[in-house]
């Protein structure tokens, strides 16, 4: 259960939050968005940064649609070119801060003894969405991965967030809204769980073979 525990726990939290929203126990992201629509003022810039920071945090990111809300706020505020550039930088800083918190929490609970080096193969897909990066950085801390990855992720995120801002301002909220679809997140979590189960099963079989070889 080494690899399965984390995705199973995350999937459980996600399912509980989705059920709570469906039952009306907690407000949905759309309800929060409507409230923000009515309260956007001169502080929209920092509100966008705060939304991105919240979504960059593990667990919160599975419920709080930060990128969606940030996209709507940006569209409503009609930012200038300078605003887009500053927002891109500020959002990267906010995401990096969230990643650092996730990594620190994972590192605190880590039982690994050796430091794992940067893995671009697993990092790059995680950069696509804040929720994926939140889960990845927490898991990276659990694996006792090198903290240099947080800086690398920030450098890679800078052109990516600039692209997101340009696309948001140019094409509107429809494209960004698709990235916060709970079905997409749920399917991604299920895929992660199945991969983890496969890795645990494979590791268990390898251990059994080693023990059988040793005993013989």
């Amino acid at each position: 259960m080494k690899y399965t525990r984390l995705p199973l726990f995350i999937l459980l939290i996600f399912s509980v939050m989705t059920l709570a929203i469906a039952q009306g126990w907690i407000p949905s992201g759309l309800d929060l968005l409507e409230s923000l629509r009515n309260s956007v003022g001169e502080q929209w810039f920092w509100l966008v940064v705060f939304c991105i920071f919240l979504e960059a945090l593990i667990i919160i990111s599975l419920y709080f649609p930060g990128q969606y809300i940030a996209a709507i706020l940006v569209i409503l505020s009609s930012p200038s070119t300078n605003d887009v550039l500053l927002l891109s930088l500020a959002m990267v800083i906010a995401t990096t801060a969230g990643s650092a918190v996730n990594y620190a929490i994972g590192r605190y609970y880590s039982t690994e003894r050796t430091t794992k080096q940067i893995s671009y193969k697993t990092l790059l897909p995680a950069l696509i969405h804040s929720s994926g990066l939140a889960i990845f950085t927490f898991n990276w801390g659990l694996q006792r991965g090198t903290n240099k990855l947080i800086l690398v992720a920030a450098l890679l995120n800078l052109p990516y967030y600039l692209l997101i801002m340009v696309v948001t301002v140019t094409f509107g909220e429809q494209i960004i809204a698709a990235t916060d679809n709970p079905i997409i997140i749920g399917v991604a979590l299920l895929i992660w769980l199945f991969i983890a189960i496969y890795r645990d099963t494979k590791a268990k079989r390898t251990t059994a073979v080693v023990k059988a070889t040793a005993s013989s």
Side-chain angles (χ1 to χ4, degrees):
M1 294 290 289
K2 177 182 178 181
Y3 299 105
T4 306
R5 283 179 295 181
L6 180 60
L8 191 61
F9 175 72
I10 297 295
L11 185 60
L12 176 62
I13 295 297
F14 175 74
S15 300
V16 170
M17 287 184 173
T18 302
L19 176 62
I21 293 173
Q23 296 297 320
W25 300 333
I26 58 177
S28 67
L30 290 177
D31 291 334
L32 294 175
L33 178 58
E34 288 302 321
S35 298
L36 284 173
R37 283 181 183 273
N38 299 325
S39 61
V40 171
E42 295 298 324
Q43 300 301 318
W44 68 270
F45 182 97
W46 296 110
L47 188 55
V48 168
V49 175
F50 182 63
C51 287
I52 294 299
F53 173 71
L54 286 182
E55 191 173 37
L57 297 175
I58 190 69
I59 304 301
I60 296 179
S61 66
L62 299 176
Y63 163 65
F64 188 73
Q67 285 189 359
Y68 181 80
I69 295 175
I72 302 304
L73 288 174
V74 169
I75 292 169
L76 290 175
S77 303
S78 301
S80 64
T81 302
N82 287 337
D83 289 334
V84 170
L85 294 174
L86 288 175
L87 261 177
S88 300
L89 178 60
M91 289 167 69
V92 170
I93 293 174
T95 302
T96 304
S99 296
V101 171
N102 299 331
Y103 173 82
I105 295 174
R107 187 67 178 262
Y108 179 80
Y109 289 103
S110 175
T111 57
E112 300 292 332
R113 295 180 177 273
T114 58
T115 300
K116 188 174 182 179
Q117 298 306 309
I118 296 177
S119 173
Y120 292 98
K121 182 178 180 180
T122 53
L123 171 62
L124 293 178
L127 294 176
I128 296 176
H129 194 275
S130 297
S131 297
L133 184 60
I135 294 172
F136 175 80
T137 50
F138 175 71
N139 194 43
W140 188 250
L142 284 177
Q143 297 178 40
R144 201 177 177 81
T146 174
N147 55 13
K148 293 179 181 179
L149 180 136
I150 304 299
L151 177 59
V152 172
L155 294 176
L156 293 174
N157 259 332
L158 187 56
Y160 178 59
Y161 271 86
L162 179 58
L163 176 63
I164 288 179
M165 283 295 97
V166 172
V167 170
T168 299
V169 173
T170 305
F171 297 102
E173 63 189 70
Q174 289 80 6
I175 297 176
I176 302 300
T179 64
D180 283 294
N181 191 321
I183 296 178
I184 296 177
I185 297 177
V187 170
L189 288 175
L190 284 174
I191 293 174
W192 182 24
L193 177 61
F194 291 146
I195 293 175
I197 292 174
Y198 169 76
R199 295 181 67 182
D200 273 333
T201 303
K202 184 177 179 180
K204 187 176 180 180
R205 289 176 179 173
T206 302
T207 302
V209 170
V210 171
K211 288 182 178 180
T213 303
S215 62
S216 60

